[in-house]
């Protein structure tokens, strides 16, 4: 019994030393303000000293330890998404409200035309058009990991866990038909976000790092954003 207890104690000491050594290798791309001192103090990580690990997918195979990091990057929607539109004689549709997705209040056709700089030059009998649009900006924080025997280069890191933030921006377009039967249009892009959505663990760097590491070991990816 004493021998068994000694063996267990030795294993625990080796595991603790390996985790401490791994903690020194934590790197965070583009987020230098984040520091990880003792990630495994709650005992939530699986064993990290794997010599050869065969898992259910190609990136669950490697040598050595998993070196985790959090990488932050941005992208945008593929274009503008139309919300509402209205076309007709100015007198008839000037007070019609056109809305947006999210928290932004609706704008009337008259307000849109004035906002884009066309309101003064339009007569009641002229044909006009107004449209509302939204676009998105996505910021992702990914928990990634690489095997310690691989170079510290982006192509050797595998995605394990994804969190994100989605910002919604609004755009309006207005136009009118000139006397020569040509449409004149203008657009306005609003710089501030009208809505901001964050996935549950977007600001929890420890969670992202842990789950990214675990999932890379297991050979799986989890995206909590749903976008």
């Amino acid at each position: 019994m004493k021998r068994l207890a000694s063996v267990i104690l030795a294993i625990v000491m080796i595991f603790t030393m390996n985790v401490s050594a791994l903690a020194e290798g934590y790197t965070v791309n583009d987020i230098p303000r984040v520091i990880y001192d003792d990630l495994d103090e709650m005992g939530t990580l699986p064993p990290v000293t794997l010599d050869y690990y065969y898992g259910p997918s190609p990136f669950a195979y490697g040598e050595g330890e998993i070196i985790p990091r959090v990488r932050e990057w941005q992208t945008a929607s593929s274009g503008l998404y139309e919300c509402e539109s209205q076309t007709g004689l100015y007198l008839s549709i000037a007070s019609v409200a056109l809305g947006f997705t999210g928290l932004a209040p609706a704008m009337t056709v008259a307000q849109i035309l004035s906002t884009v700089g066309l309101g003064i030059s339009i007569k009641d009998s002229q044909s006009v058009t107004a449209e509302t649009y939204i676009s998105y900006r996505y910021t992702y924080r990914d928990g990634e990991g690489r095997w310690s025997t691989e170079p510290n280069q982006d192509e050797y890191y595998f995605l394990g866990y994804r969190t994100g933030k989605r910002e919604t921006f609004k755009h309006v377009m207005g136009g009118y038909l000139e006397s020569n039967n040509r449409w004149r249009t203008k657009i306005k892009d609003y710089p501030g976000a009208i809505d901001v959505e964050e996935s549950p663990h977007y600001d929890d760097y420890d969670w992202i790092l842990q789950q990214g590491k675990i999932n890379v070991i297991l050979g799986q990816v989890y995206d909590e954003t749903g976008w």
Side-chain angles (χ1 to χ4, degrees), residues 15-26 34-45 48 68 204-207 209-210 213:
F15 177 75
T16 303
M17 291 172 61
N18 284 330
V19 170
S20 297
L22 180 60
E24 295 177 0
Y26 289 163
V34 180
I35 300 173
Y36 299 92
D37 292 324
D38 187 8
L39 182 61
D40 198 38
E41 61 185 28
M42 301 301 293
T44 55
L45 295 183
V48 294
D204 192 340
Y205 292 97
D206 282 341
W207 174 273
L209 201 69
Q210 290 186 51
K213 173 184 170 56

Side-chain angles (χ1 to χ4, degrees), residues 31-226:
I31 315 176
R33 66 184 183 277
V34 180
I35 300 173
Y36 299 92
D37 292 324
D38 187 8
L39 182 61
D40 198 38
E41 61 185 28
M42 301 301 293
T44 55
L45 295 183
V48 294
T49 54
L50 306 174
D51 292 328
Y52 291 90
Y53 188 92
Y54 293 88
S57 69
F59 59 85
Y61 163 76
E63 298 180 44
E65 304 169 347
I66 289 293
I67 307 297
R69 71 175 184 181
V70 176
R71 183 170 69 96
E72 180 175 304
W73 59 284
Q74 284 187 337
T75 187
S77 55
S78 57
L80 303 182
Y81 300 100
E82 182 178 330
C83 297
E84 295 185 338
S85 64
Q86 192 71 228
T87 301
L89 295 180
Y90 180 78
L91 182 63
S92 301
I93 67 171
S95 61
V96 175
L98 304 180
F100 303 87
T101 298
L103 305 177
M107 298 176 66
T108 66
V109 171
Q111 287 175 324
I112 292 174
L113 291 171
S114 177
T115 296
V116 299
L118 298 177
I120 298 178
S121 55
I122 296 175
K123 300 177 181 178
D124 288 346
S125 59
Q126 278 186 288
S127 294
V128 298
T129 187
E131 299 175 0
T132 57
Y133 294 87
I134 59 169
S135 63
Y136 297 109
R137 178 171 65 187
Y138 303 92
T139 303
Y140 293 108
R141 290 174 181 167
D142 292 343
E144 303 176 332
R146 67 173 173 86
W147 294 96
S148 57
T149 52
E150 300 292 348
N152 186 15
Q153 299 174 9
D154 286 345
E155 60 264 33
Y156 292 99
Y157 281 89
F158 297 101
L159 175 64
Y161 198 91
R162 171 162 290 170
T163 67
K165 176 174 69 174
R166 182 171 71 173
E167 299 168 277
T168 304
F169 297 86
K170 72 176 185 178
H171 315 262
V172 294
M173 189 275 287
Y176 66 90
L177 187 63
E178 296 179 317
S179 58
N180 59 2
N181 288 318
R182 293 179 56 184
W183 282 96
R184 182 185 178 191
T185 61
K186 284 188 176 182
I187 191 169
K188 178 176 176 61
D189 305 308
Y190 289 81
I194 62 173
D195 193 18
V196 179
E197 306 164 81
E198 293 183 359
S199 65
H201 298 96
Y202 178 73
D203 288 320
D204 192 340
Y205 292 97
D206 282 341
W207 174 273
I208 302 170
L209 201 69
Q210 290 186 51
Q211 297 303 312
K213 173 184 170 56
I214 291 171
N215 284 347
V216 169
I217 290 175
L218 296 177
Q220 61 189 20
V221 178
Y222 184 78
D223 183 346
E224 70 171 28
T225 65

